């Protein structure tokens, strides 16, 4: 907790690929998700989880205190438990007989007390089912479910891909200028890749890490695009000079 703000601040300004992976049977605790959320630095951080991992954004015991209080559980018992349904029907049919009514009410209360621990366990399990890696992926808080057996190979390929992207993005920003954002450079690279011969040959999947690395390692695939960007930049610079009388006067010097 003491280091949480420091971790967040350093992740926010980090300029290299960063992977968060919740491994097999692991669980985050104590609100730790806040510290590693990819939204801290969406250009750099990618979150993944193993199939059996849990995020514990809100722990099941805490969730049922909000969504499944005792009143909700008792209402659920009244809908589902045949014995309770029968007792309530008999209570309604007691027709004002106080002794029978009190006896039936005591039986209903005893039955609810007997069922409450079981229904609490069911509620906790129901809450746990909302905190699986597949639900995290469906909600978009992780990028993908990565099985433990495949994780080393997956992250090796993914890191090569992210480094390849960064190298090309830095080259683009060096040509256009630092005001051009990293994300904009990545979008430009994606456009080039999908329009390339590799894409035309059938490898159109932007998420195919091996295909992208192979494409990036051949400069012929994007050399002409870089030349065009450089020409556009020089053209813009000359236009800016032409539009300023003081710059034109300084040009001969």
């Amino acid at each position: 907790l003491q280091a949480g703000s420091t971790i967040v601040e350093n992740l926010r300004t980090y300029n290299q690929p960063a992977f968060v992976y919740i491994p097999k049977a692991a669980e985050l605790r104590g609100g730790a998700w806040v510290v590693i959320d990819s939204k801290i630095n969406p250009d750099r951080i990618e979150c993944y989880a193993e199939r059996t991992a849990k995020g514990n954004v809100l722990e099941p015991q805490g969730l049922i205190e909000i969504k499944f209080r005792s009143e909700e559980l008792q209402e659920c018992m009244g809908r589902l438990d045949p014995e309770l349904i029968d007792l309530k029907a008999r209570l309604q049919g007691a027709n004002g007989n106080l002794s029978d009514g009190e006896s039936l009410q005591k039986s209903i209360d005893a039955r609810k007390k007997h069922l409450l621990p079981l229904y609490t366990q069911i509620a906790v399990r129901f809450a746990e089912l909302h905190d699986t890696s597949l639900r995290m992926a469906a909600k978009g808080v992780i990028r993908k479910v990565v099985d433990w057996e495949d994780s080393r190979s997956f992250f090796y390929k993914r890191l090569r891909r992210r480094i390849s992207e960064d190298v090309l993005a830095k080259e683009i920003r060096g040509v256009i200028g630092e005001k051009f954002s990293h994300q904009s450079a990545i979008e430009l690279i994606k456009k080039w890749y999908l329009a390339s011969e590799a894409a035309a040959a059938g490898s159109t999947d932007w998420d195919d890490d091996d295909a992208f690395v192979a494409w990036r390692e051949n400069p012929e695939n994007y050399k002409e695009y870089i030349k065009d960007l450089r020409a556009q930049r020089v053209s813009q610079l000359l236009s800016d000079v032409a539009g300023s009388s003081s710059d034109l006067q300084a040009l001969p010097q």
Side-chain angles (χ1 to χ4, degrees):
L1 287 173
Q2 290 176 340
S5 60
T6 307
I7 294 170
V8 171
E9 180 57 27
N10 280 277
L11 282 176
R12 188 182 66 79
T13 56
Y14 196 59
N15 283 325
Q16 305 297 336
F19 300 137
V20 175
Y21 181 53
I22 309 174
K24 192 171 186 175
E27 297 182 22
L28 295 180
R29 288 285 181 184
W33 191 272
V34 176
V35 181
I36 61 164
D37 193 348
S38 60
K39 290 179 182 176
I40 295 169
N41 187 349
D43 288 349
R44 302 296 182 177
I45 301 174
E46 293 180 357
C47 291
Y48 300 89
E50 207 272 341
R51 198 166 295 276
T52 58
K54 294 183 179 180
N56 272 334
V57 175
L58 183 60
E59 294 184 17
Q61 292 288 356
L63 181 59
I64 66 168
E65 289 296 322
I66 299 169
K67 290 289 186 181
F68 292 103
R69 295 192 179 101
S70 177
E71 296 81 6
E72 281 87 359
L73 291 178
Q74 289 183 29
E75 184 185 333
C76 192
M77 295 173 201
R79 291 197 314 269
L80 300 177
D81 184 60
E83 189 172 331
L84 265 181
I85 293 170
D86 179 57
L87 286 169
K88 285 183 177 181
R90 287 163 59 190
L91 180 62
Q92 287 177 348
N95 294 326
N97 189 325
L98 292 178
S99 59
D100 287 350
E102 287 179 3
S103 174
L104 287 167
Q105 188 60 52
K106 285 181 181 179
S107 298
I108 288 171
D109 292 341
R111 181 63 179 169
K112 286 180 178 178
K113 187 176 180 180
H114 174 72
L115 289 174
L116 189 59
L118 174 62
Y119 273 72
T120 301
Q121 288 181 355
I122 294 169
V124 170
R125 180 59 185 147
F126 183 68
E128 286 174 347
L129 290 173
H130 286 72
D131 185 24
T132 64
S133 54
L134 291 173
R135 288 303 303 151
M136 287 190 275
K139 286 291 183 181
V141 295
I142 64 172
R143 193 170 181 274
K144 186 179 179 182
V145 175
V146 178
D147 289 324
W148 180 247
E149 294 78 10
D150 304 326
S151 58
R152 186 181 296 273
S153 170
F154 174 83
F155 285 112
Y156 168 74
K157 292 177 180 179
R158 190 66 193 160
L159 183 58
R160 287 183 70 214
R161 158 66 177 268
R162 291 300 305 276
I163 291 172
S164 289
E165 281 182 357
D166 279 3
V167 169
L168 189 49
K170 284 176 183 175
E171 185 176 353
I172 291 170
R173 295 181 73 196
V175 171
I176 298 178
E178 288 300 315
K179 289 183 180 180
F180 197 68
S181 70
H182 176 82
Q183 187 57 39
S184 298
I186 296 297
E187 290 297 324
L188 198 56
I189 293 168
K190 181 178 180 179
K191 181 181 175 182
W192 295 350
Y193 175 72
L194 294 177
S196 67
E197 290 182 7
S203 180
T204 55
D205 188 0
W206 170 244
D207 293 325
D208 188 335
D209 296 334
D210 287 336
F212 178 84
V213 171
W215 177 85
R216 208 284 304 176
E217 286 179 346
N218 183 3
E220 295 297 323
N221 289 322
Y222 51 86
K223 183 172 67 175
E224 293 302 318
Y225 292 118
I226 297 292
K227 281 184 180 179
D228 289 344
L229 290 179
R230 202 177 298 278
Q232 289 172 22
R233 185 190 178 202
V234 172
S235 176
Q236 185 61 49
L237 287 171
L238 291 174
S239 296
D240 292 343
V241 169
S244 169
S245 57
S246 55
D247 284 349
L248 284 173
Q249 289 171 5
L251 187 58
Q253 298 176 11

